């Protein structure tokens, strides 16, 4: 049995079983009809009134006596009331029947969510989330529960990736990029050549750091995706197992995460290009205004596309898809839920960054206080040489912050992907079968 069922076969639906509440074969032909006496012993029939009134006939489709029993009516009425259907598996304890043996609508015999008993039945929860469509709080709680329950693996992966990343960034900044001068950017009398050179150095520094951070994000996302998908089933996974499962897809994941920002940048560039051309060859003020408007419009388009493709990473890792196919899968899953996906991703990012800032900012001020320029000089931007003390102390804070942001961001993305598949493809049934939940999905399906 696979640990991550249904990942490679999207669109699985619950199997068609017997209708809930059905009891006994319908349409039997060996029962006595209205003209056939039920008692063949020859005794005279009793003078009992017909419960349906004069002229009525019993249907030929009545169930046999062994499968039908009319519960007693405390009011003394002669009506026949059917017994309540048996409770379905996984719906909890059946409440007692009401007067006359009737069952309230919305109880286990009648699976109607939000009925007389207030809300849906409890869902199976073999791991960090219940196997049903999730709320925002449950997605966030699932990501945090994964960190708390499997902290050795999660924090081990995050710590390893964060330490390697920060060591490379510190060495790059301390040995190569520390001589980058940004003074010309703050100097009103700087020439165009000095400004161009300063901007080029800043872009080189930022690009090198961003590339290292991108590689770290790919590695952390690949490993933590596997951990979170197993946590949904309540199964542990070691770092080595996570790496063996994720390794075949790492190169594709790197291409995907590199491709998405390039698409966004290209869209923004295309949007601002007409304004740039107008500013260069015609009216400068009009060109700047046109470039700003075009950039804003292109930014909206880029944001729309990035949210549509935001679930491509777990689709690529868990379904073993290619880059283009995973983007197509993400667009299909997000369709109709764009605002919800945006809100959850934005909320998770804000929470993760606030927690990270609470850790990183004190380390940054401590590093500045111990540096040569002091806190005031650091805030005023004085001095270009940050020094090894500043880089190391601030790097420690960045490592701790990354240990928090990596699991939250990856966990929320994976759980949001699983939630969308539960809503659209009944993935909860596949997950329940893989987790060994007995009888799950016999009577209840997934809701949208």
């Amino acid at each position: 049995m696979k640990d991550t069922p249904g990942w490679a076969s999207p669109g699985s639906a619950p199997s068609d079983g017997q209708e809930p509440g059905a009891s006994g074969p319908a349409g039997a032909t060996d029962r006595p009809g209205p003209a056939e006496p039920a008692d063949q012993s020859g005794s005279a029939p009793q003078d009992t009134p017909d419960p349906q009134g004069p002229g009525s006939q019993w249907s030929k489709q009545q169930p046999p006596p062994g499968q039908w029993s009319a519960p007693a009516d405390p009011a003394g009425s002669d009506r026949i009331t059917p017994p309540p259907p048996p409770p379905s598996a996984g719906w909890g304890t059946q409440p007692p029947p009401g007067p006359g043996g009737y069952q309230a609508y919305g109880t286990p015999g009648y699976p109607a969510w939000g009925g007389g008993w207030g809300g849906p039945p409890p869902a199976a929860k073999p791991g960090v989330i219940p196997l049903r469509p999730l709320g925002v709080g449950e997605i966030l709680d699932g990501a945090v529960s994964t960190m708390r329950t499997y902290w050795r693996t999660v924090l081990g992966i995050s710590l390893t990736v964060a330490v390697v990343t920060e060591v490379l960034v510190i060495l790059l900044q301390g040995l190569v990029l520390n001589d980058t001068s940004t003074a010309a950017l703050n100097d009103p009398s700087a020439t165009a050549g000095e400004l161009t050179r300063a901007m080029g150095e800043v872009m080189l520094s930022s690009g090198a750091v961003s590339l290292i951070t991108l590689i770290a994000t790919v590695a952390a996302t690949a490993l933590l995706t596997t951990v979170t998908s197993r946590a949904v089933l309540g199964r542990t996974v070691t770092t080595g197992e996570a790496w063996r499962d994720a390794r075949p897809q790492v190169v594709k994941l790197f291409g995907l995460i590199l491709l998405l920002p390039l698409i966004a940048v290209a869209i923004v560039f295309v949007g601002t290009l007409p304004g740039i051309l107008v500013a260069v060859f015609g009216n400068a003020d009009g060109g700047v205004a046109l470039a700003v408007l075009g950039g804003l419009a292109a930014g909206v388009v880029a944001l729309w596309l990035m949210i549509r493709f935001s679930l491509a990473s777990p689709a690529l890792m868990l379904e073993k898809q290619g880059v283009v196919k995973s983007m197509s899968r993400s667009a299909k899953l997000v369709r109709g839920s764009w605002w919800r996906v945006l809100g959850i991703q934005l909320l998770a990012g804000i929470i993760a960054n606030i927690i990270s800032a609470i850790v990183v900012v004190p380390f940054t001020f401590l590093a500045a206080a111990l540096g040569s320029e002091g806190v005031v000089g650091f805030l005023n931007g004085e001095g270009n040489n940050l020094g090894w003390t500043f880089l190391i102390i601030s790097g420690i804070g960045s490592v701790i912050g990354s240990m928090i942001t990596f699991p939250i961001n990856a966990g929320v993305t994976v759980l949001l992907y699983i939630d969308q598949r539960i809503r659209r493809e009944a993935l909860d049934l596949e997950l329940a079968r893989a987790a060994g939940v007995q009888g799950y999905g016999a009577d209840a399906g997934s809701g949208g």
Side-chain angles (χ1 to χ4, degrees), residues 390-409:
F390 179 88
L391 293 175
I392 292 174
I393 295 177
S394 61
I396 294 173
S398 298
V399 167
I400 299 175
S402 298
M403 290 176 59
I404 300 172
T405 56
F406 281 157
I408 292 179
N409 290 331

Side-chain angles (χ1 to χ4, degrees), residues 24-423:
T29 57
D30 57 349
R31 305 189 188 110
E36 298 176 5
D39 187 1
Q40 302 295 337
S41 61
S43 59
Q46 299 292 330
D47 294 329
T48 337
D50 190 345
Q52 292 185 342
S56 64
Q57 293 184 354
W58 290 97
S59 169
K60 295 182 180 181
Q61 304 299 325
Q62 296 297 322
Q67 297 184 11
W68 185 280
S69 59
D73 192 343
S77 172
D78 58 353
R79 64 184 177 186
I80 299 178
T81 57
S88 305
W91 285 71
T93 306
Q94 181 181 9
Y102 287 110
Q103 199 84 4
Y105 182 76
T107 56
Y110 299 89
W113 286 21
W117 296 95
K125 189 178 179 181
V128 296
I129 59 170
L131 300 183
R132 56 170 170 75
L134 304 175
V136 178
E138 290 170 324
I139 292 176
L140 296 174
D141 180 71
V144 175
S145 297
T146 302
M147 294 176 57
R148 185 175 62 248
T149 306
Y150 307 99
W151 62 271
R152 289 185 177 87
T153 303
V154 172
L155 295 184
I157 292 173
S158 302
L159 177 62
T160 302
V161 174
V163 167
V164 173
T165 302
E166 288 302 320
V167 167
L168 293 176
V169 169
I170 289 173
L171 292 177
L172 182 66
Q173 290 179 335
L175 297 177
V176 179
L177 304 176
N178 210 15
D179 294 331
T180 300
S181 176
T182 59
L185 299 177
N186 300 323
D187 186 4
S189 61
T191 63
E194 292 174 344
L195 290 174
T196 303
R197 183 167 57 253
M199 291 181 62
E201 292 177 352
V202 170
M203 292 179 63
L204 176 63
S205 174
S206 301
V209 173
S210 299
L211 180 60
I212 295 176
T213 305
L214 177 63
I215 296 174
T217 302
V218 169
T221 301
L223 297 174
L224 293 174
T225 296
T226 301
V227 175
T228 305
S229 65
R230 301 288 182 89
V232 171
L233 302 176
R235 298 178 180 177
T236 60
V237 57
T238 64
T239 304
E241 292 172 344
W243 171 246
R244 285 193 295 271
D245 185 74
R247 182 174 55 190
Q249 298 294 106
V250 168
V251 175
K252 295 179 181 178
L253 182 63
F254 178 79
L256 173 66
I257 296 181
L258 185 63
L259 177 63
L260 293 180
L262 290 178
I263 293 176
V265 171
I267 292 174
V268 174
F269 175 75
V270 171
T272 57
L273 183 59
I276 295 175
L277 294 177
V278 171
V280 171
F281 297 104
N283 188 348
D285 294 336
V288 170
L290 181 60
V292 171
L293 292 177
L296 290 176
V300 172
V301 175
L303 175 63
W304 179 76
L305 282 177
M306 292 305 101
I307 297 302
R308 281 180 63 87
F309 297 147
S310 61
L311 303 183
S313 174
L316 184 144
M317 295 302 302
L318 298 177
E319 298 180 21
K320 310 302 181 184
Q321 302 279 8
V323 174
V324 177
K325 183 64 176 178
S326 63
M327 294 170 65
S328 175
R329 283 284 294 143
S330 175
K332 179 181 178 181
L333 293 174
V334 174
R335 185 182 300 119
S337 303
W338 189 92
W339 286 105
R340 180 174 183 270
V341 174
L342 170 65
I344 295 176
Q345 294 275 31
L346 184 61
L347 178 61
I350 292 174
I351 293 175
N353 287 325
I354 289 176
I355 297 174
S356 177
I358 293 174
V359 176
V360 173
V361 170
F363 276 91
T364 303
F365 277 96
L366 177 62
L370 297 177
S372 58
E373 302 296 335
V375 176
V376 177
F378 172 75
L379 294 177
N380 294 332
E382 298 175 0
N384 298 319
N385 194 327
L386 298 176
W388 289 103
T389 301
F390 179 88
L391 293 175
I392 292 174
I393 295 177
S394 61
I396 294 173
S398 298
V399 167
I400 299 175
S402 298
M403 290 176 59
I404 300 172
T405 56
F406 281 157
I408 292 179
N409 290 331
V412 168
T413 302
V414 174
L415 294 179
L416 187 55
Y417 159 84
I418 292 174
D419 173 59
Q420 289 299 112
R421 287 200 59 184
I422 288 176
R423 293 172 182 271

Side-chain angles (χ1 to χ4, degrees), residues 4-28:
T4 52
W7 301 139
S9 57
S12 57
S15 58
D16 297 330
Q18 187 179 2
E19 189 71 14
S23 60

